[in-house]
Amino acid sequence: MDATVLVVGAGYAGVAAANRIAAGGAAVTVVDPREEFVERVRLHRLAAGTGAATVPLREVLHRRVRTRAARVTRIGDGTATLDDGDVLRFDRLVYAVGSGAGTAPGGALRVDTLESARRVHDAAAALPDGAVVAVVGAGLTGLETATELAAARPGLRVRLLSAGPVAAELPARSRDRIRARLASLGVEVGEGVTVTDPATLGAGLVVWTTTPAVPGLARDSGLPVDDDGRLRTDATLTCTGDARIVGAGDAVAAPPEVGLVRASCQAALPLGVAAARTVLAGLRGRPAPAASVSYAAQCLALGPDAALIQLVDRHDVPRPVALGGGAAAVVKEQVCRYALRRARGRVA
Ligand SMILES: Cc1cc2nc3c(=O)[nH]c(=O)nc-3n(C[C@H](O)[C@H](O)[C@H](O)COP(=O)(O)OP(=O)(O)OC[C@H]3O[C@@H](n4cnc5c(N)ncnc54)[C@H](O)[C@@H]3O)c2cc1C
């Protein structure tokens, strides 16, 4: 197949897409600043010093996929400009830049990229026992970070602060189980607390887990985006402003018929697979099938040896069933491993 495909972003969606496009016979180059695949689902563990979160990128890619360690700064008319000044031409481009561009107010750190999680790790490691770590935001990332830190460093005083209730989207019974786990780890919980200035918290470290954000690349390139800067696509994940560009993962705003795109591996992986199908169909001159995302569970780690697996319906609405404790931690670990296996596919 005489076509050049660029995949921008080597996360779950980008790797899933690149491997399947290469297996379909097209020449694929993945562009990402790192030569490591970052298992973002493990970044809270890296931050707490309890585990690694990277795999050499080469190990997860199809042998025919080429890599380019660079950041794309602009996508133009069939070209991508890199931060090293090079300009790469493409016949098709997969836009899979994820959602690691969130910001934090002065003095606070985030945990959603490899570099930021390492900064949290270094800052926490330098704190003496008795110091306060404030985790702002009690969504899934805030909960995973607070519980992992509290379990790893029982001498620290970990505070979890949230404008709303902990795990606001989960049923009351699951929230109560989470509160019980937080209490058993000694995490001090402040619900109904809105933090605007980290300096007022009197903490040695503030970890800011609210408002993840997608990179501004699509917007800066003049491509159609939603209010959050996510690339607008049709149901086949084709960009509504440029048929050569196909989106996948957290950075995409797909129409409702695709299903809810929650920032998660559960959405990023099927979107990556669907993006590959769309690219290959386009290169073969065939119509592309519509993408589809559905959900089964929300898997929340609560320290190294406990978790909560909340079953949800295909639209991500919680069912009245959840699994907790050590058995759930085993399931959660299997889910993390499965996510990496699914991204790899059958790497030749
Ligand atoms: C601590 C934590 C725990 C999580 N736990 C879970 C969980 O349990 N279950 C779940 O489903 N989800 C979880 N998530 C969310 C999940 O990790 C993301 O939704 C998922 O990684 C999205 O995949 P993606 O491929 O869209 O983006 P990413 O995995 O973020 O990959 C995006 C890639 O794009 C690259 N990139 C960005 N900009 C550019 C550019 N300009 N040029 C080139 N490359 C670029 C980045 O370097 C990155 O490698 C968690 C996230 C965090 C932070």
Side-chain angles (χ1 to χ4, degrees), residues 9 11-13 32 34 40-41 72 97-98 144 249-250 263-265 332:
Y12 294 93
D32 194 290
R34 297 187 199 91
R40 280 185 75 196
V41 298
V72 174
V97 294
E144 292 195 329
D250 288 0
S264 64
C265 295
K332 166 79 182 178

Side-chain angles (χ1 to χ4, degrees), residues 8-14 31-34 38 40-44 70-73 96-100 111-112 141 144-145 215 217 248-251 262-266 268 299 332:
V8 185
Y12 294 93
V31 185
D32 194 290
R34 297 187 199 91
V38 179
R40 280 185 75 196
V41 298
R42 298 187 190 274
L43 283 178
H44 60 289
R71 180 174 296 279
V72 174
T73 56
V97 294
S99 58
V111 76
D112 48 9
T141 300
E144 292 195 329
T145 305
L217 177 60
D250 288 0
R262 173 164 63 84
S264 64
C265 295
Q266 274 180 86
C299 305
K332 166 79 182 178

Side-chain angles (χ1 to χ4, degrees), residues 24 31 39 129 232 265 267-268 301:
V31 185
E39 291 186 85
D129 281 355
R232 280 195 187 282
C265 295

